[in-house]
Amino acid sequence: MKSQNVQYGEQAIRRYGWLLPILLSISLFAGVVRAEEAPVALPEVAETADEVAGLSEDDGDEIEVTEDELVDDEPAEDEPLIEVKAVFPVTSSPEDPRQYRYLTLSNNLRVLLISDPATEKSAAALDVHIGHNQNPWNRPGLAHFLEHMLFLGTAKYPQAGDYSAFIAQHGGRYNAYTAAEHTNYFFEVDSAHFEPALDRFGWFFIAPLFDARYVERERNAVDSEYRMRLKDDGRRTLDVYRELMNSNHPLSAFTVGNHETLADADEETIRDELIRFYQRYYSASLMSLVILGKEPLDELQQMAMPIFGRIPTHSVSLPATYPAMFRSDFLPAKVDIKPKKELRQLTFLFPVPDVDVNYRKKPYEFIAHLLGHEGEGSLLSFLRQLGWAESLSTGVGLKSRHDGLFQITIDLTEKGWKAKGQIPVVVFHMIRQLETRGLKEWRYQELQQMADINFRYQEKMPPMDTVRQLAPAMHVYTPEDTLLGDTVFKSYDEKLIRQSLGWLRADNVLLAAVAPDAITSRSSRYYQTPYAADSWVIEEAEVKPSMRKRLFFPEENVFIPARLEVRSRPLLPSPENASSEEQVAAPQRVLSNQRAQVWFQQDQVFDVPRAHMYLRVKSPLVARDASGAAQAALFAALVEDQLNEFSWPAKLAGLDYSLTANARGFDLHIAGYSNRQGLLLNKIAESIRKAQFTPERFAIRKAALLREWKNRDHNAPYQVLLPKIAALQVSPFWNDDALVKALENKTWEQFRQFSQVILRDANLEALFYGNLFRQEAIKLASLAEHQLLGVRTGRTPPSTKIVQLSPEGRPWLYRQPIQHNDNIALLYTQALNDTVYDAAHMQVLRQILQPAFFDQLRTEKQLGYVVSLVPLPLRTLEGSAFVVQSPSTAEAGLVSEIEDFLVGQKTSIAARLNENREAISRRLREPSRSLAEQADRFWNAIANGDFDFQRQALLAEAVDAVTEETLAEYYQAAMLNSARRLWLTSDRMPVPEGFRPVEEVTEYRAEQSALSYP
């Protein structure tokens, strides 16, 4: 793994991305899920996990809430005038067309305005420099609970669901997270509706109601979140770290909260404490706001000041320092931890002082860069040669205002676990060698050079991601450095680096050893993690001279581009162009024969010196059976393993690649600066063709892959079941159990023979897009064709088949063993066909149903923390999954609740058409924000057979044509016909009467019709 700033599970509780790994895992392996649905569809999952929507009244005790408790809705006559106190310059990239303005309002609120006339979505984020480190000692989880409650009505907008409904209806998404020192709230919405959305957002921080009717319900949601992740090894390990920390340090406290920690006390209610916490800490002086819109800066400022200038400000007293993270007599120490999954890790944790104070020089990033290097001579390379390690990561995590932990984490093999006593000797040898031999200014200058290049040519992110990341940065960096603070390497300071290295000592370390066979003596309080801690002293030993020769720091990185330039656009038309005056709207075929189809387009929009190369190799041998698919996954892992030392410097220089297996072959994606991409492609293709692996690496990577597949059974229930849909509906496709069974008994000789013929009869599809000339693309395509296509013997890759749910008969039920106490029910519904008409109606239905589904089943009925309507298209066949995971409601009850919800929506589904239809239409017509986003769109069009690149435009037209009548008719046929349903639950639920169990996947597929795709 690359050097990185390590973030633990609860340091930043980011819930929005809970679905993305599931969609990507299905997409990458199956090669059938539309990859563009992940970024496009996630906004449709508007209320995932911790997002809070409207609530209905309940019969509980009600405490009257008056606006006077917080802030009046209307300004008083003597209310101070909202003014701008100061305006600061902001350093931006010379290639960045957006305009920036940093200002401070009279209430001491810091505001960053971003004007982007090209944006179709506008966004805002407000970061409060207060997090769970400010929780009262007797109220763990209070800051997190406050984050939940803030969404549930304000003085100006008292309806609890007003904000979420408005955002969803206007093509938006929103979320929030609570971290150690930050609570971050953010949203994006269609630009035409930005100002009213901003007003609703702003009143969270002016006059939230904290309506007592909703306190108990949201406390249940927090408790469900806590219980859902009781088996998450990241949180379980962190729970142990807390117990070992100095109890006076705020990081030692539980952060999420549960029923126990958030219960009403005898003397006062939890609501009273919420209000007191809010009034104490939610001051404008501790807030930073980022607003991104298409309006000019002056208009954005006029939009923001009347709203956010009203946020109250007052003096907040915070400690100038924290106590030591560990007691003075505790370190050095060792802790053994038993995980739920099969994993083996050795982690070195060094307490260090505040790292942000030196953000311009970044000494710890420099140290992490060298210790976490993966090239020749590196610590990881050495440990891999010994067969001890699989990956390594370094960086500072668990950061607070005043300190943090520098971490070195090594993922071990079984052999490495047996040698874990020797590994600390090697690690501390490298730390000493870094101090004596590694501190060279030219190495720092390489980081400087790449930081400058990356800052100059940074690509646009989605607006919400932009504001979400910049808002907390405003608390750390000077106004001028707000945009570049994360990447700047101002100057080499060897003295400062040596001082920082001084904290990486053998007497200042907690050594954490995580393994299934760890010997433990007690369990942590909140996550019941078995562990045992004791004092520890590093073994007195030296690395042998013969071994020392194999450990050294990197030489100069030849991949760092000395000069980057954007290719000039062609003056003459290419053969495919109608005229030289027309910009190419879509890629053109530059190679077409029986075995290879290659498309190319030179970028004419984004003007960055980057390119994307996508290559898909379809192999009949891989698609033949589960054995072929399992060995293909191992093959891809071994290629990446073999190339790691070569490709690591390229990755550091902004040129990366991925090689992933799918059910019919493998996908290669190369992305980054275009100047050396041809060299990387040639090296990867050569490694694939030669397939010169070793028995030792075969055994290690095979064990790692089997462990990865088996460990997925320990994921949360919704994470276990969602990928099963593709395994049931798609052929060829195999679930994890089938892959494990197919690979477990494969010998080295069997795999070696497979590797020599994997390219036989293969076909190739490829796209070259970006900063490339046409002739360059043709040359690279010819190289790929020569290297990646083996001999022909007459076999052809099979087509992909997608099962169509039958409109007749009984609903299907698939049951899966689940290793979790929570219950789970998942309903997969499918479009009637794969036309744009069908896709349009399914997407409109999902857009309408999703917020109502969340509101009714999570917020009103409190069934569980995970309640969502998930987009799940398979190729061009639209589909949706209704997901509910509950700690308390039985699965039969969850099934009934989903059924009742669908029936209940029948009468109102068409009444909510107009705004939702417009939101989808605008989304489909949004231009790409970056080269990477456009490349992804092009590639997904090719993968789905849309060689005219017109399907998305046609889909937008089909959405525009949806009427109330056609929508109601489609809802009845696609959603309410119980025969066209596939249910998935745990095996704890008996098969209800009227359901048909899925006993064998092959029989299930055979009894239904299927769509076929080449």
Side-chain angles (χ1 to χ4, degrees), residues 334 344 346 348 383 386-389 410 412-426 511 539:
K334 179 185 177 184
R344 295 169 182 83
L346 201 61
F348 300 76
L383 295 175
L386 296 176
W388 291 359
I410 306 170
L412 302 176
T413 63
E414 290 190 50
K415 183 179 178 181
W417 177 253
K418 294 175 183 177
K420 63 183 181 296
Q422 302 176 58
I423 292 176
V425 176
V426 182
L511 183 65
E539 180 182 336

Side-chain angles (χ1 to χ4, degrees), residues 164-227:
S164 61
F166 187 88
I167 297 296
Q169 288 168 3
H170 298 293
R173 54 184 179 138
Y174 71 95
N175 210 335
Y177 68 82
T178 304
E181 303 284 1
H182 297 269
T183 307
N184 196 322
Y185 304 83
F186 43 92
F187 77 93
E188 73 177 17
V189 72
D190 287 338
S191 292
H193 303 280
F194 187 39
E195 189 165 7
L198 199 63
D199 194 49
R200 286 165 170 79
F201 180 72
W203 275 86
F204 294 162
F205 313 101
I206 300 170
L209 293 181
F210 298 115
D211 196 322
R213 293 171 296 177
Y214 309 134
V215 169
E216 179 60 28
R217 292 182 178 184
E218 215 49 44
R219 181 163 45 197
N220 289 337
V222 172
D223 187 71
S224 294
E225 176 185 354
Y226 158 67
R227 294 182 182 280

Side-chain angles (χ1 to χ4, degrees), residues 657-670:
Y657 84 98
S658 64
L659 183 68
T660 54
N662 60 58
R664 297 198 295 168
F666 54 84
D667 291 324
L668 172 62
H669 179 206
I670 298 175

Side-chain angles (χ1 to χ4, degrees), residues 108 136 155 220 305 500 631 681 701 720 760 809 864 1009:
N108 294 315
N220 289 337
M305 288 180 61
S500 302
Q631 290 184 90
L681 173 60
R701 296 309 302 167
V720 173
R760 186 174 295 174
S1009 61

Side-chain angles (χ1 to χ4, degrees), residues 82-138:
I82 301 167
E83 297 179 328
V84 175
K85 288 178 60 176
V87 179
F88 303 93
V90 178
T91 300
S92 62
S93 164
E95 309 297 328
D96 189 348
R98 294 168 291 192
Q99 292 183 311
Y100 299 87
R101 180 179 296 168
Y102 190 121
L103 48 89
T104 303
L105 301 185
S106 50
N107 62 351
N108 294 315
L109 176 70
R110 283 164 285 184
V111 182
L112 177 65
L113 305 173
I114 308 173
S115 175
D116 183 1
T119 189
E120 299 292 331
K121 288 281 196 295
S122 297
L126 190 145
D127 187 90
V128 189
H129 202 6
I130 292 293
H132 53 66
N133 277 358
Q134 284 68 51
N135 283 332
W137 286 105
N138 64 333

Side-chain angles (χ1 to χ4, degrees), residues 841-849 909 967 970-971 975:
H841 283 77
M842 284 294 285
Q843 290 194 23
V844 171
L845 286 173
R846 188 166 58 236
Q847 170 81 10
I848 293 172
L849 291 172
I909 192 74
L967 191 67
Y970 205 91
Y971 185 67
M975 296 284 190

